[in-house]
Structures are given as structure tokens and as C-alpha cells.
Amino acid sequence: MGLDRKKFKEIKAAFTLSDDTLHRIADDFRAEMHAGLAHKNGASLRMLRTFAGLPTGRETGTFLALDFGGTNVRALRIRLDGSGKYKVESKVAKPLTLPGVYDYVCADATAEEMFDFLAEIIDEAIEGDHETKYLLGHTFSFPSEQTNLCNARLITWTKEFATQGVEGKVVNDLLEDALMRRGMKNVVPVAVINDTVAVLLAAAYKREHTYIGSIYATGQNTCYFENFADGSEKPMVVNMESGGFNRLPFSKYDDAIDACSEQPGAQRLEKMVSGRYLGMLYGTALADLLGKEGASYPFTSIELSAIVADAFLDRHAAGAIIESKTGMTFSAADRALMQDLAGTVIQRSAHIVAATYAGIIRHRAGETKAENQFIAVDGSVYEKVPLVAHHLRGALDKLLLDEAVNIQIILENAGSALGAALAAAMTEQN
């Protein structure tokens, strides 16, 4: 007995967004941007000021970059040659936890221990040179409150970090203290940005007219260059924390994923589009299709990609993955339907992200036509999940119509380090 075709159509419909719905998401996203910029209570976009401008492309010199976004930390010495050119002169990468040896992210670890370890990595990157002055840019991808480009105060750890004595502190102050303890007075931390901002800076250094930067990976976030047309603030990059956008058409599968998440009610867009959740969404929908409503099969986004990528008529490879998770066997026709469902989950993700980009483009353009520009995207979902880039482009074309020809989407995967170095370089120009 094959799959229930009526049930399949109902589930597929739950993940299918009409053109009208996409336009509404784009309009609502733009409205939330205005609300967030105005600091209105209840706005689902945080619209955090980064105090970073855009590079001119004329940045030159040697700078240090500290890339601290997870348990693997990198310190790099980067020479900027201008016109988008650069060279990594040295790189040191080490994990913050090494089982049986050390663990700087556990609750027993202290801020001093963690930042002394970071200073040690930086010292290796400059090969013990304590004479040459280096400005350091810091990509720090944790929720922070920022009052200027140099000072970011950690609000709360995420990603299973629990190091004591860091929350509530300005991270560059902790880093500077550690550098001083090591006798590295020549290394001066001058800028803190997050990974999304780093993507935008890196891409804008290489291509003029890049105004939007986005991470589309395990998580999802976007930033853009805000001109503040009313002149109320200095133009700067705004970190939207777009994963928190919540004016969306949620299916019962989205609500189920949200309910069992670490923070129910938070990051609703991210739970519909990012790599961390796509496999879960598919597993929950598939369980319903197989008569096990309320259950879920543990698919990853990598497995989801493999299911969609199977181009053989019998869908044998896709079927093998599905059958290993469900413990059931299926006909070639049923495997094709289940592959179709996987593709629909992926397509919805790309369409929602495209709608947010369209909202930003419309906001920036105001009453005028969208100018020629680039959107820089980094992340495993955009780069590696089949059909994501195709569906993203297609939805943007539908949403922007004749203006879509002015928008190019580019992959930028050197952002974290290059962006940090650029942020440091840009402080010399100010």
C-alpha cells in the first residue's frame, strides 16, 4: 500500500508559499525594519547599530584578525593591498576545548584563562613580535550590546559556552588585559563586529555597491548598510538579527519545532529556514505523512541535501536514507513523493530568505528604483544545499520584477577574518 496522496498534498501545501504570501512577508519585514530602527516595543527585528561603515576599497596595511564565533578560534595576520586584494600572511587556529587537556568554555573556566589563551594564539600569529604596532579587529559572534565600534558587551553566552566572568563585560577590555599580561602592548584591539557584518565588509571591499550581507547556514542573519535618510544618525551597517522575525505563516510543523526548542517563541524565522532546523522540519512532516503525527524522524540538513540530490529514476539513494531513519521500505513512486516533500521544505526556506532581502532592498530604495547592487551571502545552506541558490534567485525575481536585474547575489566565504581586518583598518580612516 502506497502513501496517502491526499495527505501528501495537504502537507506539501503547508510548506508552499503563494506569490501573494511572499509579497506580504517582504512588506511585513520592511515594516518591522522601521519599527526596530525606531526602537518600538515588540519589534521582532533588533536592528542593532554596529558603528561600522563600509570599506572604500582603498584600505591598505597589515592588520590582525581574531575570529571568535565558536569553539574553534583563529588569529590571522592579513595584509590589505587595496582594490579588494589581500594576503593572509599567517594563521593560527586552535580549539577552545581539547578533551582531557583543557576546556575554556566550561562553567569551571574563567574569563582570564580564556582570554589568556586567545592572547597566546595572537602571539603565535605575529610570531612573538612585540615591537611592531598592530591594530586588531575582532569577529565576535555572540549576542552583544555595542555602543561604539570597539566596545561590545557580552549579553549572554550561546552555543553551549559557559565560561564565567565574561557575560556583562566588554570583550575587548578582557582581551586587552590578557595582551598586557603577555607583554603585547603593541597589539591594540580597535573593532568588534559579528560574522554577518564581516561578510558584508569583506564583500564590499572587493565589490563596490555591496550593501547587504547575510549568513545562511546553521543559523540565519542579515545586515545591511543604513543611510538614515532623515539624518538622525550617521550612516552605518545595521545588524538586523533577522532570525528573530516573526510575522510569518507558521505551519503546525513549525509550531511543533518551536515548542520543543530551547527557546520557544524566539528565532521563528531561523527555525523555518536555517540548516539547524530544515532536517527537523522534514522529519516532522514525514512522520505525519506516515501516520505518526506528533513524532519526528532525526534528519540532518546534510541528509536532506542528499535526498534532494538523488537524480536516479528509482530514487534509490534517497530511499536508503529515508528507510534507515523510518525502518520502513517504500516503492520508487513513494520515494519520489518523499523527495518532492524534501525539495518543498528547502524551497520554502529560500523563498522566505528572498522575501527578507526584497524587504531590505525596498527599504533602502524608498520611493526610487532599486540601484545596481550586490547581496553577499555566506553559509553552508546557500553554498551546498541543492536548489537553494536557484530558488532564492527565482523568488527575488518574482518579488522585484523588472528591478531584479539590478540585484546580483554573490557567495562570500572569506568574511570572518577579512572583515575583522577591514574593521580595524577602517578605524585609521575615521
Side-chain angles (χ1 to χ4, degrees), residues 18 27 40 93 102 149 174 275 304 388 396 405 427:
S18 68
D27 291 343
K40 290 186 178 177
Y102 61 80
L149 183 58
L174 296 173
L304 197 64
V388 163
L396 206 58
V405 70
T427 64

Side-chain angles (χ1 to χ4, degrees), residues 336-352:
L337 288 179
M338 290 186 284
Q339 184 189 55
D340 187 8
L341 178 59
T344 304
V345 171
I346 289 169
Q347 181 183 54
R348 186 187 69 157
S349 168
H351 282 185
I352 290 172

Side-chain angles (χ1 to χ4, degrees), residues 2-312:
L3 295 175
D4 182 334
R5 298 300 177 103
K6 182 181 177 185
K7 184 74 172 175
F8 168 77
K9 288 181 179 178
E10 288 174 2
I11 295 172
K12 184 174 178 178
F15 286 96
T16 303
L17 304 175
S18 68
D19 291 353
D20 286 345
T21 299
L22 280 179
H23 278 286
R24 187 168 68 250
I25 292 170
D27 291 343
D28 288 345
F29 193 82
R30 185 180 178 186
E32 287 291 284
M33 289 176 67
H34 284 285
L37 286 171
H39 307 290
K40 290 186 178 177
N41 288 334
S44 64
L45 292 174
R46 296 183 69 185
M47 307 301 282
L48 303 173
R49 277 63 168 175
T50 68
F51 304 94
L54 291 179
T56 62
R58 296 187 295 274
E59 289 76 14
T60 58
T62 300
F63 301 89
L64 300 182
L66 179 64
D67 181 13
F68 184 179
T71 53
N72 286 306
V73 176
R74 299 184 302 157
L76 303 92
R77 190 173 76 240
I78 297 176
R79 190 185 75 224
L80 303 175
D81 297 322
S83 301
K85 297 181 176 62
Y86 69 99
K87 181 182 180 183
V88 176
E89 295 185 331
S90 69
K91 179 172 86 169
V92 179
K94 290 187 179 180
L96 284 167
T97 177
L98 194 61
V101 182
Y102 61 80
D103 185 349
Y104 297 118
V105 304
C106 70
D108 293 332
T110 66
E112 188 170 305
E113 290 170 339
M114 171 184 273
F115 281 84
D116 280 348
F117 183 68
L118 296 178
E120 179 186 321
I121 296 172
I122 295 166
D123 205 359
E124 284 189 46
I126 60 174
E127 298 164 336
D129 175 5
H130 293 187
E131 300 298 325
T132 307
K133 183 179 178 181
Y134 293 105
L135 301 185
L136 180 142
H138 188 175
T139 299
F140 185 73
S141 300
F142 297 89
S144 303
E145 181 183 6
Q146 205 151 350
T147 53
N148 58 47
L149 183 58
C150 187
N151 294 330
R153 189 180 301 275
L154 177 64
I155 298 169
T156 182
W157 281 125
T158 56
K159 309 175 190 178
E160 308 302 320
F161 276 59
T163 311
Q164 57 181 292
V166 186
E167 291 181 342
K169 299 290 178 64
V170 174
V171 293
N172 264 356
D173 287 351
L174 296 173
L175 180 61
E176 194 164 13
D177 289 346
L179 292 167
M180 290 297 177
R181 285 193 293 272
R182 202 172 176 87
M184 299 167 64
K185 295 180 182 179
N186 59 316
V187 176
V188 185
V190 292
V192 183
I193 56 177
N194 80 356
D195 54 353
T196 314
V197 177
V199 167
L200 176 53
L201 298 189
Y205 178 60
K206 300 170 190 173
R207 292 179 179 84
E208 199 177 358
H209 308 299
T210 304
Y211 303 119
I212 298 171
S214 190
I215 299 284
Y216 192 1
T218 305
Q220 200 282 326
N221 187 26
T222 302
C223 68
Y224 73 103
F225 187 66
E226 170 62 58
N227 285 305
F228 295 105
D230 61 0
S232 60
E233 298 179 55
K234 183 180 177 181
M236 70 176 77
V237 178
V238 170
N239 169 23
M240 309 178 78
E241 293 296 331
S242 57
F245 179 64
N246 61 15
R247 292 173 65 177
L248 291 157
F250 304 119
S251 70
K252 66 178 182 179
Y253 310 108
D254 298 305
D255 290 337
I257 295 295
D258 178 57
C260 67
S261 67
E262 294 158 0
Q263 291 183 295
Q267 298 298 100
R268 291 305 304 264
L269 179 141
E270 188 167 80
K271 290 168 184 171
M272 297 173 79
V273 307
S274 75
R276 181 176 182 182
Y277 297 100
L278 289 177
M280 296 184 204
L281 284 166
Y282 178 66
T284 304
L286 185 62
D288 191 17
L289 179 60
L290 298 177
K292 301 180 185 296
E293 185 177 2
S296 184
Y297 296 112
F299 289 90
T300 65
S301 61
I302 293 172
E303 289 164 337
L304 197 64
S305 298
I307 290 168
V308 173
D310 183 1
F312 290 97

Side-chain angles (χ1 to χ4, degrees), residues 318-341:
I321 296 168
I322 295 166
E323 288 163 10
S324 72
K325 298 290 183 181
T326 63
M328 303 165 66
T329 57
F330 303 98
S331 67
D334 285 348
R335 292 198 291 266
L337 288 179
M338 290 186 284
Q339 184 189 55
D340 187 8
L341 178 59

